[in-house]
Amino acid sequence: MSSLAIYRLRFRSPFRIGERGVGLEVTRMHVPADTLFAALCSTWRELYGIDALRRDVLDWFTEGEPGAEPFFLTSAFPYAGDVRFFPKPLGRLPHVRLAEGDEKAFKRVHFVSERIFTAVVRGESVTFRKLDCINGGIAWVTEEERTRLAEWTDDMTGDIVFLKTAVVPRVTLDRITAASEIWHLGEVLFARGTGLWFAVAFNAEHGEALRRRFDAVLRVLGDTGLGGERGAGCGLFEIEGLAHETFPDVPGASRFVTLSPICPKDVMELDRLTQDGAAYEVMPRRGWVTSPEAANLRRKTVWMFAEGSVLTGPPLPCAGRLVNVKPDVCPHDVWRYGYAFPVGLATRTSPLS
């Protein structure tokens, strides 16, 4: 896999990524790639205009040939210090052994460290122990990484806590009677030195100008906010450096883990991705249109394979598509990003190096 641009977002305020139908108290602890893409496109339009958004980004996805897309991106996952986290690959992983009695703890894990993720995708033999989990059991790290993360140890519990979800009270007033009513909202708060990271694979044929525009859009997005409750100051962030790295490469892989939600192009691609050996979670993607012309309309619902899904076929970057989720009365198209960001998954088992 070629070099990727790695962006780290250090949040200056809580952020919230909610889901319709599960209550406002619930929030995701990461930002799905389709949410991130929508926020970037909205900011791109505000900064450069709608014609530039179509010319620089959207037309290449919707009208260009496969391979002409300007970039592909991952979802944004947590990091703490120099330890990045990835989604836990789904399904039965024969080279991952579970310590006796730790099966339930393994099911609670959402994220694995980069070292664990690398071992899993390369087919190295690893053993899961409940003792290796941190942050309330949602993240699995190695013993060495646990030592590196010691500065985030909670004095009360002894657990390493780099992010927390909190439910905060809010008050609303009735417009007619002025009667007050309390409600609650879920938010994610990061400790100092932690945040979210995501990777972008830029298409070199689009030149350095596209990259500079992308960086400018991301800086503006940091000042306007990412996710929900932006009007209350949520989702503000700063970009903490930029690195160029690669992900684990497994030559000849016949399965892959996706680091972004994916919506198959058609029935044939769906069939190819879900052969024997696939393990996936399907999730609905909803939300509101944010353009000035249709800000009070809900986007159509589309179902996608979630991050961490293990799908069959070679790890090609063009699997998936941009989905038009335009409401019937909306005056313009509304696009939802649904491309895979694949990392090849080995099928053989080798000792942990």
Side-chain angles (χ1 to χ4, degrees):
M1 181 175 287
S2 58
S3 178
L4 306 170
I6 307 294
Y7 293 89
R8 289 179 175 236
L9 312 181
R10 184 175 63 80
F11 283 83
R12 295 181 278 130
S13 63
F15 89 88
R16 167 180 170 73
I17 303 294
E19 284 293 309
R20 182 188 177 194
V22 295
L24 295 175
E25 297 86 354
V26 178
T27 176
R28 294 180 181 274
M29 291 176 286
H30 74 285
V31 181
D34 55 323
T35 299
L36 184 58
F37 182 84
L40 290 168
C41 286
S42 179
T43 308
W44 206 298
R45 171 181 168 165
E46 293 177 10
L47 190 58
Y48 297 115
I50 192 168
D51 290 339
L53 172 63
R54 291 173 177 151
R55 182 186 65 243
D56 294 342
V57 182
L58 295 179
D59 287 351
W60 293 100
F61 284 102
T62 58
E63 300 176 8
E65 294 294 324
E69 297 86 352
F71 57 81
F72 295 106
L73 50 80
T74 70
S75 298
F77 303 108
Y79 75 86
D82 60 353
V83 177
R84 290 185 303 183
F85 292 90
F86 288 70
K88 183 182 75 173
L90 300 178
R92 183 176 178 275
L93 302 169
H95 42 281
V96 177
R97 297 191 300 272
L98 305 184
E100 186 175 354
D102 287 350
E103 292 82 4
K104 288 185 178 179
F106 184 72
K107 292 180 180 178
R108 288 197 294 269
V109 171
H110 292 284
F111 305 109
V112 299
S113 70
E114 185 166 8
R115 181 67 189 91
I116 298 289
F117 183 80
T118 300
V120 170
V121 300
R122 288 180 176 170
E124 298 173 354
S125 179
V126 292
T127 299
F128 171 81
R129 301 178 305 165
K130 184 179 178 181
L131 292 175
D132 295 327
C133 292
I134 62 172
N135 214 109
I138 65 166
W140 174 19
V141 298
T142 65
E143 188 173 348
E144 185 270 337
E145 289 168 332
R146 189 184 184 91
T147 302
R148 285 156 53 193
L149 296 171
E151 67 177 282
W152 289 282
T153 302
D154 186 290
D155 294 336
M156 298 291 290
T157 64
D159 189 14
I160 294 173
V161 180
F162 57 90
L163 68 82
K164 288 183 178 179
T165 56
V167 178
V168 297
R170 296 288 180 87
V171 174
T172 185
L173 297 178
D174 188 284
R175 293 183 178 180
I176 299 176
T177 66
S180 61
E181 182 179 356
I182 193 168
W183 54 286
H184 294 84
L185 182 75
E187 298 177 341
V188 177
L189 300 99
F190 289 96
R192 185 186 300 273
T194 72
L196 297 177
W197 72 272
F198 69 97
V200 183
F202 287 102
N203 187 336
E205 295 183 0
H206 288 257
E208 191 62 24
L210 178 86
R211 169 68 170 275
R212 287 196 296 269
R213 285 197 166 198
F214 185 96
D215 290 352
V217 167
L218 191 60
R219 286 195 296 273
V220 173
L221 182 60
D223 291 333
T224 55
L226 174 63
E229 295 296 303
R230 295 186 296 277
C234 290
L236 305 178
F237 64 83
E238 295 174 349
I239 303 172
E240 200 174 59
L242 174 63
H244 297 274
E245 301 179 21
T246 59
F247 287 161
D249 192 14
V250 180
S254 59
R255 296 189 299 165
F256 65 86
V257 182
T258 180
L259 301 184
S260 61
I262 170 176
C263 182
K265 288 184 177 66
D266 48 38
V267 174
M268 291 180 61
E269 186 170 75
L270 174 65
D271 184 61
R272 178 175 64 81
L273 295 172
T274 54
Q275 298 291 313
D276 289 344
Y280 47 82
E281 175 189 353
V282 180
M283 62 177 185
R285 305 299 295 140
R286 307 182 176 102
W288 294 90
V289 180
T290 58
S291 72
E293 299 87 354
N296 60 341
L297 298 178
R298 282 193 180 277
R299 289 174 287 196
K300 289 184 177 179
T301 300
V302 60
W303 291 78
M304 295 187 180
F305 295 122
E307 306 95 332
S309 293
V310 174
L311 301 169
T312 52
L316 301 175
C318 296
R321 62 183 169 125
L322 222 60
V323 188
N324 192 349
V325 291
K326 169 184 174 302
D328 293 336
V329 296
C330 184
H332 58 75
D333 291 333
V334 181
W335 297 104
R336 171 76 78 171
Y337 183 86
Y339 283 91
F341 201 102
V343 178
L345 182 65
T347 54
R348 62 180 177 81
T349 301
S350 60
L352 178 63
S353 58

